[in-house]
Amino acid sequence: MPDRGGGPTGPRMRVGRPSRRVRTLLMTLGVLAVLAMVFVMFSGFWTDWLWYRSVRYSSVFTTTLWTKIGLFAVFGLLMAAAVGVNIWLAHRLRPPLSAMSLEQQSLDRYRMGIAPYKKWVLLAITALVGLIAGASATSQWRTWLMWVNGVPFGQKDPQFKMDVAFYAFDLPWYRFLLGFGFAAVVLSLIAAALTHYLYGGLRITSPGARATGAATGHLSVLLGLFVALKAVAYWLDRYGLAVKSSDFKATSNWTGLRYVDANAYLPAKTILFCIAVICAVLFFATLWRRTWQLPVIGFGLMVLSAILIGGLYPAIVQKFQVQPNEQAKEAEYIRKNIEATRTAYGIDGVKPTDYSGRGQIKDAQKQRADADSAASYRINDPNIVSPTFQQLEQERKYYQFPSTLDIDRYKGQDTVIGLRELNLQGVDKRNWINDHFTYTHGYGAVAAKGTDTARGTGGAPEFTESGLPSKGSLGDYEQRIYYGEKTTQYSIVGGPQKELDYEKDGGGQVTTSYAGKGGIDLSGPLNRAAYAVAFSEPQILYSGAIGDGSKILYNRTPKERVEAVAPWLTIDGDAYPAVVGKRIQWVVDAYTTTNGYPYASRTTLGETTSDSLTDRQRAVVAQQNQVNYIRNSVKATVDAYDGTVTLYEWDEKDPVLKTWKKAFPGTVTPKAEIPDELKAHLRYPQDMFKVQRELLSLYHVTEPAPFYNASDAWQVPNDPTKADSNAVPPYYLSLKLPGQERQQFALTTTFTPSGRPNLRAFMAVDADAMSRDYGKIRLMRVTDDKVDGPEQVQSRLNRHDPIATFVRDLKGADSTIKYGNLLTVPLDSGFLYVEPIYAQGRGSEFPLLSKVAVVYGQRIGFADDLGGALSQVFGESAPDDGTTTPPTEPGEPPTQPTEPPATGDAALKDAIQDAQKAYSDGQAAMKRGDWAAYGKSQEALQEALQRAADAEARLKEPDSGG
């Protein structure tokens, strides 16, 4: 009975149990809290499943999910079993506690405290280590799928003669298993030792034997397993030498064996493997000998051997054998690295060809004609004219263009193209309905010729597709853009709330209701509740703007959609739009990679693909990944209207792609099913090209001696048109290389010698997917050491008097100068540089093409248009940046400055000759179907006729003959 008596402070107050109502309330709140937590976790799973089902890639979700669940269960149970069995065994092997020492007496209270809960403690410990191990194992789902589905490469490494697939697919999985084994043994050893100590099997301060025989045998077996795993590690380390990274001379990412690896580390690993096997046997033998004397001695010898054989001996070999004659010793291994690296990056077929590089005026008339057909010079720089597109074609504040536009080909014309994507920052009234229901999509593509400006506009692009709705050469197509690079917010479409297409100029609105097959249905309460939780937006649950037909669109950028449906791909940094049929399709290049190609040097994607134009919009996905094998194995498309993702196989020989196709069957469409209309817009990807040019800056050298000395190392020059010191980007350009009969769409770049500014090489790859030579890389080595590189050319332009005066005058008028892409085009043993120059006046929000600069050899042209600049360079009175023209041959004295322009009868005669030539050129261009050249010839004809008329008028003046 409770004590009801009083005390010094009066009667005690009775503390009773909570009332039934309170208990029920607390229990209800607890249940609701648990249900809320479960629903939060469920909503994430459910919305992911709905999204993958909506894009018809549910197999990717289920395969990934079941693989993770399987790895979690298997390795979680294995770890729990290993630790639990060893704890149970240690407890079972405990000695009887008779004469207890002080040490055991102090432990007795712990044993007594645990005794009633031994089973629960065992379950808790095993569950904890099992959960941690299982969760860790789920991160290896890619490693497991690659191992179980691995396809042979058909190539063997030069050292061990193992197929490359062993290093790419098998070795990573074996290393994971080895690491898991070490973790299981170490945790089991710790758990067993603590249990033995707690129950008297191990003693630290007690007199007599420190361990019972049972404890000695148990722990010795675990130590033997640890040493046996170490033996396996030594054996795998032998193969690991083929993919080991190290710093070596010209490259900091060298991969593969060197002399010291093959002649010191490799035999050392083999010897240590044998010693570890013997040491493991000695530990197992303690089950019968019941003494640790021999195993401890063996373990000590193994550690000493690891220091002497595995560390000291290789250092001696490196110091006294390799360093005195390193070039000769390493030659064999350098050759292996060169061959493997060139194969792994797809540059094994690239052979530099010699090219003089010195541009000389020999036949000005012929060279002028050759210059017209050498390239379709892109004077509308897609990296400069985006603000011009924005100002002239934005149409509404809630539209935007990307900061860098894209280059494509339409009807044989290099075209600058961009999409009007949604920009919520331009919406006047921001609220939840406007942000997610009314303003849901962009509208229309805008395109302009890359080679021309519109007459009478002061240098604005000549648009071939413009207006709102867009009209022009692209024909009739679905103009609504629900998925794009700038579309990052979610939208709810197709329901009772109408969506805005655009506002009419005269007032009123054009509205629509989404009818695409993309998106996830929100008409059901479960889906609405799940998305309300997933997006932390409770209005989704009860808003009246959501009803029958409502769908939610999210994950709307092309990159994240492709990465989600193919998480095994690395995504290129530049998705680009193409009008294909009646739809706008985003084209996304994707790569299969591995860092397990033996002997091939590694590169970091983020560093290699960075240049002066790289920004968040163009950053490569997984940019911190280190790889030493890459293939552009997949071309993906994302429909800008309904978000449909299609993965097209591109590299049919790639074993990594074949492996992933086995893992995710049915997700990749065969190459043969790519529509021709789409194929016409596919191009060689920029990031792949950047990786290859970075490797070729060193691996164009195929002989060990010059590679070792780095005597011919190159570098990608800095972009001379930008203030920062970032690499010049590659440029898409239609041009005619030496030996080619016609222009071909290509991706180009230049090289300079390491640490020097002069031009050393020009590199171009056939970028047209319809071409038979698609992907063929041409590398032209400049043999003349005095050919100016891009930075030197830019410096010459800046010093050129007419340009300097022009820039000074514009800056004096408070205008801004922007230098466009400095294009490099091979021409008649030299290089023709073309640079558009833009002016942005005070108060103007966009730049306009103002001048074009051309450089060939020592001559500089600077005019209002490209034709004028070329005529200056190849004209008889062409200016240069000095007082003399360069010698025609080495050692020949420089020629005198050219004569002043002709006047009088001579001027009339020259103008008539130019008109006749322009007419002939136009007829020839029309016959071969080169309409760009035909247009330029007509402009030249008109200009020549005007000069002839002016000259004739001057002759008729009274004092003309004076």
Side-chain angles (χ1 to χ4, degrees):
M1 294 291 293
D3 183 6
R4 299 181 184 272
T9 58
R12 294 183 181 178
M13 297 186 62
R14 178 181 177 182
V15 180
R17 296 175 62 189
S19 66
R20 184 175 181 179
R21 178 179 298 178
V22 172
R23 292 199 306 271
T24 303
L25 178 61
L26 292 175
M27 185 177 297
T28 302
L29 291 175
V31 170
L32 290 176
V34 171
L35 290 176
M37 293 174 61
V38 170
F39 188 77
V40 168
M41 293 185 289
F42 168 77
S43 64
F45 166 82
W46 184 243
T47 53
D48 284 347
W49 162 249
L50 290 174
W51 187 87
Y52 276 96
R53 191 175 65 176
S54 73
V55 294
R56 293 165 180 80
Y57 282 90
S58 55
S59 62
V60 174
F61 178 81
T62 54
T63 299
T64 305
L65 177 65
W66 285 115
T67 301
K68 290 180 178 180
I69 291 175
L71 291 173
F72 178 88
V74 170
F75 288 96
L77 289 174
L78 285 175
M79 182 65 77
V83 174
V85 166
N86 279 281
I87 292 175
W88 173 83
L89 185 60
H91 178 265
R92 185 177 179 84
L93 296 176
R94 68 190 184 280
L97 298 176
S98 52
M100 296 181 63
S101 63
L102 292 176
E103 180 183 16
Q104 292 302 313
Q105 289 178 8
S106 63
L107 292 173
D108 187 55
R109 56 178 176 176
Y110 295 107
R111 288 193 290 265
M112 295 297 291
I114 293 174
Y117 311 105
K118 285 190 294 187
K119 291 183 179 180
W120 293 108
V121 171
L122 178 62
L123 288 174
I125 293 175
T126 55
L128 179 62
V129 297
L131 288 172
I132 294 174
S136 177
T138 59
S139 64
Q140 300 297 319
W141 66 269
R142 290 180 177 87
T143 308
W144 160 259
L145 288 175
M146 293 181 77
W147 177 70
V148 78
N149 296 287
V151 172
F153 275 67
Q155 302 166 5
K156 298 184 183 296
D157 79 282
Q159 181 68 40
F160 302 102
K161 310 303 179 185
M162 302 286 287
D163 191 277
V164 173
F166 170 78
Y167 301 93
F169 306 142
D170 299 343
L171 190 58
W173 179 249
Y174 298 152
R175 281 177 164 167
F176 164 71
L177 292 180
L178 184 64
F180 178 83
F182 272 121
V185 170
V186 169
L187 289 176
S188 297
L189 184 63
I190 294 173
L194 288 175
T195 305
H196 280 299
Y197 176 70
L198 182 62
Y199 287 97
L202 291 178
R203 303 179 179 89
I204 298 177
T205 61
S206 300
R210 299 296 183 186
T212 63
T216 300
H218 185 194
L219 297 179
S220 294
V221 169
L222 291 175
L223 288 170
L225 288 173
F226 179 86
V227 177
L229 289 173
K230 188 62 179 175
V232 176
Y234 282 133
W235 188 257
L236 290 180
D237 284 347
R238 298 169 69 255
Y239 300 106
L241 293 172
V243 289
K244 183 192 72 171
S245 289
S246 61
D247 294 341
F248 180 61
K249 293 300 177 183
T251 175
S252 60
N253 292 307
W254 172 281
T255 302
L257 285 82
R258 290 158 52 187
Y259 181 90
V260 69
D261 297 313
N263 295 277
Y265 280 111
L266 184 57
K269 297 292 183 182
T270 305
I271 294 171
L272 290 171
F273 164 76
C274 297
I275 294 174
V277 169
I278 295 171
C279 186
V281 171
L282 292 176
F283 272 107
F284 292 141
T286 57
L287 285 173
W288 298 276
R289 293 181 53 84
R290 300 296 185 182
T291 176
W292 281 350
Q293 185 176 5
L294 286 178
V296 169
I297 293 173
F299 187 79
L301 289 175
M302 187 181 75
V303 173
L304 183 62
S305 300
I307 296 173
L308 297 178
I309 302 175
L312 185 60
Y313 173 63
I316 293 173
V317 171
Q318 178 69 24
K319 180 70 175 177
F320 296 102
Q321 289 191 34
V322 178
Q323 288 185 6
N325 191 19
E326 188 172 41
Q327 180 176 324
K329 293 290 187 183
E330 301 288 8
E332 174 189 353
Y333 306 98
I334 292 175
R335 189 180 300 277
K336 292 176 182 178
N337 175 268
I338 292 173
E339 292 176 356
T341 301
R342 287 171 61 88
T343 301
Y345 289 96
I347 55 177
D348 47 318
V350 180
K351 296 180 180 179
T353 58
D354 289 342
Y355 185 79
S356 169
R358 172 175 288 188
Q360 300 173 353
I361 306 297
K362 299 175 182 178
D363 185 344
Q365 187 174 2
K366 179 180 181 301
Q367 288 176 298
R368 175 65 177 86
D370 290 342
D372 282 336
S373 61
S376 296
Y377 305 98
R378 193 179 66 246
I379 59 175
N380 284 318
D381 185 350
N383 313 300
I384 298 292
V385 299
S386 178
T388 308
F389 271 53
Q390 190 81 4
Q391 181 69 17
L392 300 179
E393 290 297 327
Q394 179 189 19
E395 300 290 351
R396 303 293 183 268
K397 291 192 301 180
Y398 44 81
Y399 293 138
Q400 64 179 328
F401 291 97
S403 58
T404 299
L405 302 175
D406 289 291
I407 295 295
D408 204 343
R409 295 138 293 151
Y410 289 90
K411 299 179 181 179
Q413 168 77 43
D414 287 5
T415 301
V416 180
I417 187 170
L419 303 186
R420 285 192 198 92
E421 294 194 46
L422 181 64
N423 176 23
L424 288 177
Q425 302 302 318
V427 176
D428 291 328
K429 186 177 181 181
R430 299 288 304 276
N431 53 54
W432 190 65
I433 293 295
N434 278 346
D435 286 357
H436 301 289
F437 290 82
T438 304
Y439 296 90
T440 60
H441 56 279
Y443 205 92
V446 175
K449 292 182 179 180
T451 55
D452 294 299
T453 57
R455 293 182 181 274
T457 62
E462 182 177 346
F463 291 104
T464 57
E465 181 82 8
S466 60
L468 184 67
S470 295
K471 296 178 182 179
S473 62
L474 300 184
D476 184 27
Y477 61 96
E478 174 56 68
Q479 298 199 19
R480 297 173 182 89
I481 302 161
Y482 283 89
Y483 296 87
E485 290 182 299
K486 298 288 188 180
T487 313
T488 56
Q489 74 285 352
Y490 73 88
S491 292
I492 299 175
V493 298
Q497 182 74 32
K498 288 293 184 180
E499 308 157 42
L500 177 67
D501 270 347
Y502 55 88
E503 295 166 337
K504 296 180 181 179
D505 290 332
Q509 296 181 340
V510 177
T511 60
T512 188
S513 186
Y514 180 74
K517 59 184 178 181
I520 297 95
D521 179 51
L522 280 184
S523 58
L526 176 61
N527 289 1
R528 293 179 69 167
Y531 279 101
V533 172
F535 289 169
S536 301
E537 183 49 74
Q539 293 188 76
I540 295 177
L541 186 60
Y542 55 78
S543 174
I546 302 175
D548 291 340
S550 291
K551 292 182 176 182
I552 187 168
L553 310 180
Y554 62 102
N555 287 351
R556 298 170 71 180
T557 68
K559 288 181 188 178
E560 64 185 350
R561 290 182 78 80
V562 175
E563 188 182 27
V565 303
W568 36 274
L569 290 173
T570 299
I571 311 303
D572 188 90
D574 184 27
Y576 59 96
V579 178
V580 180
K582 300 295 183 181
R583 290 293 182 89
I584 299 174
Q585 298 282 350
W586 288 99
V587 181
V588 183
D589 285 287
Y591 310 105
T592 47
T593 62
T594 179
N595 67 348
Y597 197 101
Y599 275 97
S601 290
R602 292 185 171 91
T603 187
T604 304
L605 291 180
E607 297 174 1
T608 306
T609 58
S610 175
D611 59 35
S612 64
L613 300 180
T614 303
D615 53 28
R616 291 183 180 179
Q617 172 191 327
R618 299 170 68 96
V620 64
V621 174
Q623 59 180 341
Q624 299 305 316
N625 282 10
Q626 271 209 336
V627 304
N628 66 353
Y629 172 93
I630 185 170
R631 291 291 185 272
N632 177 212
S633 53
V634 171
K635 302 281 190 180
T637 61
V638 177
D639 191 296
Y641 181 70
D642 62 24
T644 298
V645 182
T646 306
L647 306 176
Y648 291 106
E649 180 181 27
W650 188 248
D651 190 336
E652 297 174 298
K653 298 180 180 179
D654 178 30
V656 182
L657 178 59
K658 292 178 181 178
T659 296
W660 286 118
K661 285 175 64 178
K662 285 181 62 180
F664 296 98
T667 57
V668 181
T669 303
K671 184 177 183 179
E673 296 184 22
I674 299 178
D676 288 340
E677 191 173 0
L678 170 62
K679 196 173 183 180
H681 294 280
L682 300 182
R683 67 190 192 188
Y684 200 83
Q686 289 192 62
D687 287 340
M688 180 79 174
F689 187 74
K690 291 176 188 178
V691 170
Q692 290 175 321
R693 76 171 179 177
E694 184 71 22
L695 270 296
L696 279 171
S697 66
L698 183 61
Y699 283 91
H700 66 276
V701 178
T702 56
E703 293 300 320
F707 184 94
Y708 174 86
N709 295 321
S711 57
D712 193 24
W714 302 344
Q715 65 185 15
V716 178
N718 292 332
D719 188 347
T721 66
K722 299 293 188 294
D724 51 18
S725 299
N726 289 321
V728 63
Y731 295 124
Y732 286 107
L733 184 68
S734 291
L735 78 167
K736 183 170 64 177
L737 295 173
Q740 291 183 327
E741 296 182 356
R742 60 185 180 87
Q743 292 182 16
Q744 193 68 49
F745 190 65
L747 189 55
T748 66
T749 192
T750 54
F751 294 99
T752 60
S754 181
R756 296 177 59 195
N758 57 290
L759 190 64
R760 175 52 65 210
F762 176 84
M763 174 180 168
V765 63
D766 192 328
D768 187 353
M770 300 291 284
S771 170
R772 291 184 302 175
D773 290 333
Y774 172 85
K776 181 178 180 180
I777 296 175
R778 293 175 173 87
L779 188 61
M780 300 161 57
R781 186 200 309 267
V782 178
T783 58
D784 193 319
D785 290 335
K786 296 182 180 179
V787 177
D788 288 342
E791 292 177 281
Q792 290 175 308
V793 169
Q794 187 67 51
S795 179
R796 285 176 54 195
L797 290 175
N798 294 340
R799 296 195 309 268
H800 189 55
D801 284 342
I803 299 178
T805 301
F806 171 76
V807 172
R808 184 170 57 250
D809 290 346
L810 280 182
K811 288 185 176 179
D814 203 15
S815 295
T816 302
I817 296 295
K818 293 182 180 291
Y819 296 99
N821 37 222
L822 182 60
L823 303 177
T824 308
V825 177
L827 177 66
D828 195 16
S829 299
F831 288 98
L832 183 70
Y833 288 94
V834 176
E835 182 178 80
I837 299 176
Y838 298 82
Q840 185 169 336
R842 182 178 182 181
S844 174
E845 297 181 1
F846 62 96
L848 294 171
L849 181 66
S850 183
K851 296 285 186 179
V852 178
V854 174
V855 178
Y856 186 74
Q858 295 300 309
R859 296 193 175 189
I860 294 179
F862 183 66
D864 293 338
D865 55 26
L866 177 62
L870 289 173
S871 296
Q872 287 183 16
V873 168
F874 295 103
E876 293 181 359
S877 58
D880 57 50
D881 60 343
T883 57
T884 61
T885 55
T888 57
E889 297 292 339
E892 182 180 343
T895 59
Q896 295 301 314
T898 55
E899 296 295 329
T903 59
D905 291 334
L908 178 59
K909 185 181 295 185
D910 288 346
I912 293 173
Q913 289 177 348
D914 290 345
Q916 290 173 339
K917 179 183 180 301
Y919 177 79
S920 300
D921 291 345
Q923 295 300 307
M926 186 167 60
K927 289 180 180 179
R928 66 175 182 267
D930 189 349
W931 299 111
Y934 177 80
K936 293 175 182 177
S937 66
Q938 295 306 298
E939 293 177 2
L941 175 61
Q942 184 178 1
E943 187 268 345
L945 291 174
Q946 183 62 48
R947 282 195 289 114
D950 293 343
E952 185 178 12
R954 285 194 298 269
L955 285 173
K956 292 180 179 180
E957 292 175 0
D959 57 348
S960 62

